[in-house]
Amino acid sequence: MEKINNIAFDLGGVVLALSLEGAIKTFEGIGLSDARQRLDAFQQRGIFADLEQGVIGADEFRRQLSAIVGRQLTHDECFRAWHGYVDHVPQRNLDAITALRSQGYKVCLLSNTNPFMMQWADSTAFDGHGHPISHYFDRMFLSYECGVMKPSREIFQMMLDGQQALAGETLFVDDSPANCAAAAALGIRTLCPRNNEDWRQSVFEALKG
């Protein structure tokens, strides 16, 4: 078995604690009455998927969501609605990622996300210490920039190519069973913790093997 030298982390549910209920509440707060039917914890649908896949940009999303809710929404309202997904960012996770990089592992982010989420995540507000999320990773593979979402095999191949890593030398950590199954089908080793589960021991044990 090849030695792992590349680790890819999901964002929501792994790096940060995710709150689907929080997002439902914030989207309902701006007038999306059927937010519970439209939002998902792992893979979005409709205009939410179009945004996360890069089919539409932030302003077009705002325009289309405005048409759905029946009033003109601002960029800030959309930003705050998306931010409802964020419960908190556990410091233990950031410390573990920093430790892995210091040990020589290539560490990247592989996330289904969008410009509104990254407006916060890649700002100095992210970790409470003035560092954006990009401070913690060698590379970031973001669905809206890649033009494809997990669990499509294309985004995993983009990550492997970008990291110059083989599938068998890569560990992928994601709280979505479907995403982990897709990665495993390519020969990538996977770890599937529950949302906000402390995955540190499991990751370090996988690296020993």
Side-chain angles (χ1 to χ4, degrees):
M1 183 178 290
E2 301 101 320
K3 180 178 174 59
I4 292 171
N5 59 35
N6 179 45
I7 310 169
F9 287 96
D10 177 37
L11 176 57
V14 176
V15 176
L16 62 85
L18 195 70
S19 176
L20 176 58
E21 289 300 318
I24 290 169
K25 183 177 180 179
T26 52
F27 272 100
E28 287 177 342
I30 64 170
L32 188 64
S33 58
D34 59 348
R36 188 171 298 277
Q37 286 70 50
R38 291 179 181 269
L39 299 175
D40 191 80
F42 301 121
Q43 186 176 20
Q44 303 295 350
R45 301 177 295 275
I47 65 168
F48 299 87
D50 289 345
L51 179 68
E52 299 218 323
Q53 202 160 285
V55 175
I56 60 175
D59 194 58
E60 179 61 17
F61 173 84
R62 181 194 59 77
R63 189 189 70 78
Q64 292 191 29
L65 188 60
S66 295
I68 291 170
V69 303
R71 69 178 183 88
Q72 194 69 18
L73 298 169
T74 66
H75 178 95
D76 189 58
E77 284 179 306
C78 293
F79 167 78
R80 286 187 282 108
W82 276 106
H83 195 66
Y85 267 111
V86 180
D87 187 309
H88 66 289
V89 182
Q91 185 63 42
R92 66 170 193 250
N93 296 345
L94 303 180
D95 291 343
I97 291 166
T98 299
L100 290 167
R101 291 181 74 192
S102 71
Q103 292 170 24
Y105 292 99
K106 294 184 287 188
V107 182
C108 68
L109 185 72
L110 178 57
S111 176
N112 287 350
T113 190
N114 62 74
F116 294 105
M117 289 295 289
M118 293 307 294
Q119 179 183 332
W120 160 75
D122 210 25
S123 77
T124 55
F126 170 69
D127 67 352
H129 303 291
H131 300 116
I133 192 170
S134 54
H135 172 78
Y136 293 95
F137 292 95
D138 299 310
R139 292 280 301 274
M140 299 194 298
F141 300 90
L142 311 176
S143 59
Y144 73 98
E145 292 181 347
C146 293
V148 64
M149 292 191 295
K150 298 175 293 184
S152 295
R153 65 178 293 140
E154 290 85 354
I155 197 167
F156 292 106
Q157 194 59 56
M158 287 180 186
M159 178 270 292
L160 293 174
D161 292 344
Q163 291 291 87
Q164 297 183 310
L166 298 174
E169 299 171 349
T170 298
L171 176 66
F172 173 56
V173 186
D174 194 303
D175 62 324
S176 164
N179 292 344
C180 286
L186 294 174
I188 297 171
R189 285 184 260 181
T190 64
L191 179 65
C192 192
R194 297 183 302 276
N195 176 35
N196 199 32
E197 180 181 348
D198 186 349
W199 41 257
R200 292 174 298 172
Q201 183 175 349
S202 296
V203 166
F204 285 107
E205 285 179 355
L207 297 176
K208 291 177 186 175

